[in-house]
Amino acid sequence: MDSTQRFSARVEAYVKYRPGYPAAMLDFLAEQLAMGPDAQVADIGAGTGILTALLAPRVGQLWAVEPNADMRGAAERLLVAADNVRWLGGSAEATGVPAGSLDLITVAQAFHWFDRAAFKAECRRLLKPGGHVALIWNDRLTDTEFLQAYEAGLRAYSGDYEEVNHRNLGEADFSAFFEGEYRLDCFPNRQWFDLDGVLGRLNSSSYAPVVGSEAYEQLTALIRREFARCALDGQIAFNYNTLVYSGRV
């Protein structure tokens, strides 16, 4: 499937169940990457606007680039009152943002879908001298029994989980993308879910089995069983490290 269309059927779950980003990460962007009130920023692969909504109050002008019309529509509805956000349907490799206009480019949960060489060329076209790129992921941990079982279930029942996992990226990929030194910063993040929330979180993922399939029934049976065993007061924590790879290109 075209990577830009993978989430079309999952927009509602994505909006409701994907994690946000911690305030400490936003403070880092402001303090270390010049994301101030006059900054010109592009959020590329903006999706349903989860990060975009957090950036908008902190910057001067924000371009939100999202090629999937369903996801972009959800984001536009979320940010209808934000008068400093301009929405573009371009791709990461051809954004439509004016050349030489940006202080900072952010990419949340999306870099692993891009043509990285073409995206690097586009970043070079867009950034002002000294501008930065921040590649951001909420990296789900396996630091509890439930999260270990959830991860094992994905590996067992999700057909392309291994192929599309952002963890496939390594130091060589980041060294090839950034010019010179880059840095990795890490910020703790967490969501709490009841059982319906856990199933919603599953269905927000592009690699989740199709609802009604045998793999989906087996995976959700595992989740229900492990939730019953591990939940405290009807809740399960999803723990993350929010990872920010940042540097110049």
Side-chain angles (χ1 to χ4, degrees), residues 9-27:
R10 303 184 185 273
V11 170
E12 182 178 356
Y14 205 102
V15 169
K16 291 177 67 175
Y17 299 111
R18 281 298 180 104
Y21 298 92
M25 186 207 79
L26 296 166
D27 292 342

Side-chain angles (χ1 to χ4, degrees), residues 165-185:
N165 196 325
H166 70 85
R167 298 182 188 120
N168 291 333
L169 295 172
E171 183 176 344
D173 299 295
F174 296 116
S175 295
F177 178 73
F178 292 108
E179 290 297 319
E181 292 185 0
Y182 67 91
R183 61 186 289 175
L184 169 60
D185 293 87

Side-chain angles (χ1 to χ4, degrees), residues 64-106:
V65 180
E66 174 50 54
N68 184 294
D70 296 308
M71 298 190 86
R72 191 173 66 254
E76 289 177 342
R77 291 189 292 273
L78 174 67
L79 286 154
V80 66
D83 57 9
N84 65 332
V85 180
R86 181 177 177 187
W87 294 96
L88 296 173
S91 67
E93 301 81 11
T95 60
V97 176
S101 60
L102 299 179
D103 301 296
L104 174 66
I105 292 170
T106 62

Side-chain angles (χ1 to χ4, degrees), residues 37-193:
D38 297 321
Q40 307 290 298
V41 178
D43 188 25
I44 298 180
T48 61
I50 294 172
L51 178 60
T52 317
L54 298 173
L55 298 176
R58 290 175 171 252
V59 306
Q61 177 69 45
L62 181 59
W63 283 269
V65 180
E66 174 50 54
N68 184 294
D70 296 308
M71 298 190 86
R72 191 173 66 254
E76 289 177 342
R77 291 189 292 273
L78 174 67
L79 286 154
V80 66
D83 57 9
N84 65 332
V85 180
R86 181 177 177 187
W87 294 96
L88 296 173
S91 67
E93 301 81 11
T95 60
V97 176
S101 60
L102 299 179
D103 301 296
L104 174 66
I105 292 170
T106 62
V107 180
Q109 308 294 138
F111 178 70
H112 52 293
W113 299 113
F114 297 170
D115 178 323
R116 294 195 284 277
F119 175 57
K120 180 174 181 174
E122 179 70 345
C123 290
R124 286 177 162 174
R125 184 184 75 82
L126 297 177
L127 286 167
K128 299 175 185 177
H132 291 83
V133 180
L135 309 176
I136 302 166
W137 284 273
N138 277 315
D139 187 42
R140 178 172 36 79
L141 302 180
T142 54
D143 57 350
T144 68
E145 288 188 45
F146 178 83
L147 292 175
Q148 290 168 11
Y150 185 87
E151 176 76 8
L154 291 175
R155 293 183 182 278
Y157 299 115
S158 174
D160 61 356
Y161 178 61
E162 299 286 357
E163 287 75 18
V164 303
N165 196 325
H166 70 85
R167 298 182 188 120
N168 291 333
L169 295 172
E171 183 176 344
D173 299 295
F174 296 116
S175 295
F177 178 73
F178 292 108
E179 290 297 319
E181 292 185 0
Y182 67 91
R183 61 186 289 175
L184 169 60
D185 293 87
C186 180
F187 306 88
N189 201 7
R190 175 176 289 174
Q191 290 175 291
W192 287 96
F193 288 126

